[in-house]
Amino acid sequence: MERFAFIVHPIVAKDFARKFPFAENWSDSFVEGIIKYIPPFKVSHIAGIESGHAASEGWFVGCPLTSRQMVSMPEEVVIKKIIKAGKVAEKLGAKIVGLGAFTSVVGDAGLTIAQNLNIAVTTGNSYTVATAIEGAKKAAQLMGISLDKANVLVLGATGSIGAACAQLLARDVRYLTLAARSEDKLEILATQILRSTGLAVRVTANTKSALKAADIIIAVTSAVDSIIEPDDLKPGAIVCDVSRPRNVSQQVAQARNDVLVIEGGVVEVPGDVNFGLNFGFPPKTAYACMAETMILALEGRYENFTLGRDLTVKQIETIGQLANKHGFKLAGFRSFERAVSQQEVLNIKANAAAKLAIKQERLG
């Protein structure tokens, strides 16, 4: 039996009450004041993962700090607590541990954590990107957007994740725009893509202009604040927001019922899996970053896989191939922390068509 663990933490203080109902009426500040003194602990046992090639069990390990605490407390304190969570995983018998949510973001994205553990570590970002691109393509199909005709934009293309996304997308689309602050770096990437795929891509530092013309947007910038606002998007646009913190403003969800914002895919896990924890997903489904840890365990690849800020096309392709081998597959979309049904996507498509019809009528 292969064994793994995955570190989770409360995204907001209210999440703590989902595990411990006695804290339901506690204020957020009181919860955060208490949990920072609680050591990491086993949250649940994960059983029933079976791919046809191997079987696996695992554990969710809790690192009691909220997202706000992860980014506001001294970095060395946060990393030390994540390492302690990794030590809990070691004692449970895990041979690889995945870093969930902000535990994969703080510091150097897992490098220091891996150096202080005796088991393999991964952030899950490779499979997150693989499923994000797969999800964007599936969303385009549902929204009736042809990849041959769509204007596709990679926002933040000079970063490691953005560059990998651009090189993958260049194989499938005809009109690709790369946006970032440095046009010199964009030109270098464009030249690499032309040599490897034959596709001539457009580059620009004018983000707002590129957004208004795009049908499909992959957002992967490292901006601290949101940079995509409601007025930036055309009716029917699809935004796949891979960034953390998010690039898409929460106001887009409130003001635009004619655009589709997704976070990447929800993944169906093979076997009769029981996570022992309700994290708001349908049964037998998980985040792609969780799935990457499970896939590596099923494959017996107990090695540091996705760490640091660099991400390669080869890593994304490898984890995608291993996912297919073990029967993991895209199960649905998520948007602003909730699942999005296929019917909701079709409603967005109808809203976009209605808005475009009104616009055409006004133009005469």
Side-chain angles (χ1 to χ4, degrees):
M1 179 74 75
E2 309 295 344
R3 293 185 172 88
F4 68 93
F6 193 82
I7 299 175
V8 295
H9 70 89
I11 301 300
V12 295
K14 294 298 182 191
D15 290 342
F16 184 72
R18 293 171 62 184
K19 178 66 178 175
F20 301 104
F22 59 82
E24 186 175 1
N25 296 319
W26 292 3
S27 69
D28 290 356
S29 59
F30 185 72
V31 169
E32 290 188 337
I34 293 292
I35 67 173
K36 66 182 180 183
Y37 296 109
I38 299 176
F41 59 94
K42 184 185 82 171
V43 174
S44 70
H45 178 240
I46 304 167
I49 301 173
E50 191 167 357
S51 74
H53 296 278
S56 178
E57 66 172 347
W59 298 269
F60 281 124
V61 175
C63 184
L65 289 175
T66 65
S67 303
R68 192 194 67 78
Q69 289 176 304
M70 288 268 178
V71 297
S72 63
M73 290 175 61
E75 187 176 289
E76 62 273 18
V77 174
V78 175
I79 290 178
K80 188 175 180 181
K81 192 155 189 176
I82 299 171
I83 291 169
K84 286 183 177 177
K87 293 293 184 184
V88 173
E90 284 183 13
K91 290 179 181 176
L92 288 168
K95 297 178 181 177
I96 184 169
V97 63
L99 305 178
F102 277 71
T103 67
S104 68
V105 175
V106 296
D108 51 15
L111 291 171
T112 300
I113 296 163
Q115 289 166 2
N116 285 275
L117 293 178
N118 297 312
I119 57 176
V121 179
T122 190
T123 63
N125 284 342
S126 293
Y127 196 41
T128 295
V129 170
T131 55
I133 292 178
E134 184 182 354
K137 290 178 181 176
K138 186 175 180 181
Q141 188 178 22
L142 290 172
M143 292 282 285
I145 298 175
S146 168
L147 292 181
D148 285 342
K149 299 176 181 176
N151 290 314
V152 181
L153 169 66
V154 178
L155 198 60
T158 53
S160 58
I161 294 177
C165 288
Q167 292 177 63
L168 286 167
L169 286 167
R171 301 172 181 178
D172 300 316
V173 305
R174 292 181 62 186
Y175 307 106
L176 179 62
T177 300
L178 310 181
R181 283 176 295 184
S182 171
E183 288 200 18
D184 290 342
K185 291 182 179 178
L186 287 172
E187 291 288 357
I188 294 171
L189 177 60
T191 301
Q192 292 172 347
I193 290 174
L194 180 62
R195 287 175 180 165
S196 60
T197 68
L199 183 70
V201 303
R202 177 174 174 262
V203 301
T204 180
N206 189 335
T207 300
K208 292 294 183 183
S209 175
L211 283 169
K212 290 181 187 299
D215 299 297
I216 302 171
I217 300 151
I218 309 292
V220 288
T221 85
S222 57
V224 175
D225 299 317
S226 57
I227 57 175
I228 302 177
E229 301 297 335
D231 291 342
D232 293 331
L233 302 168
K234 63 193 291 188
I238 298 167
V239 186
C240 184
D241 193 353
V242 185
S243 302
R244 296 295 180 277
R246 303 188 190 291
N247 284 167
V248 182
S249 165
Q250 183 76 32
Q251 292 181 346
V252 173
Q254 299 159 358
R256 296 294 301 270
N257 64 1
D258 60 329
V259 301
L260 175 61
V261 180
I262 59 175
E263 300 168 359
V266 179
V267 177
E268 186 177 319
V269 178
D272 190 19
V273 61
N274 181 357
F275 292 112
L277 173 69
N278 178 11
F279 45 91
F281 278 18
K284 303 180 183 179
T285 58
Y287 287 107
C289 56
M290 293 176 180
E292 179 171 311
T293 314
M294 299 171 198
I295 293 164
L296 293 170
L298 286 170
E299 190 66 14
R301 287 187 64 156
Y302 296 119
E303 60 190 65
N304 295 333
F305 191 77
T306 311
L307 288 180
R309 306 295 179 194
D310 294 328
L311 192 63
T312 67
V313 170
K314 185 178 180 182
Q315 280 177 310
I316 298 169
E317 290 178 335
T318 297
I319 200 67
Q321 290 163 0
L322 294 177
N324 289 335
K325 172 184 173 180
H326 289 286
F328 289 78
K329 58 185 179 182
L330 202 64
F333 301 124
R334 288 186 66 79
S335 181
F336 297 102
E337 311 295 347
R338 69 176 186 86
V340 178
S341 69
Q342 186 167 318
Q343 184 58 52
E344 286 178 274
V345 177
L346 296 178
N347 290 343
I348 291 170
K349 180 182 178 183
N351 293 335
K355 195 165 187 176
L356 287 170
I358 293 171
K359 190 176 180 179
Q360 287 290 341
E361 188 176 326
R362 286 175 178 169
L363 291 173

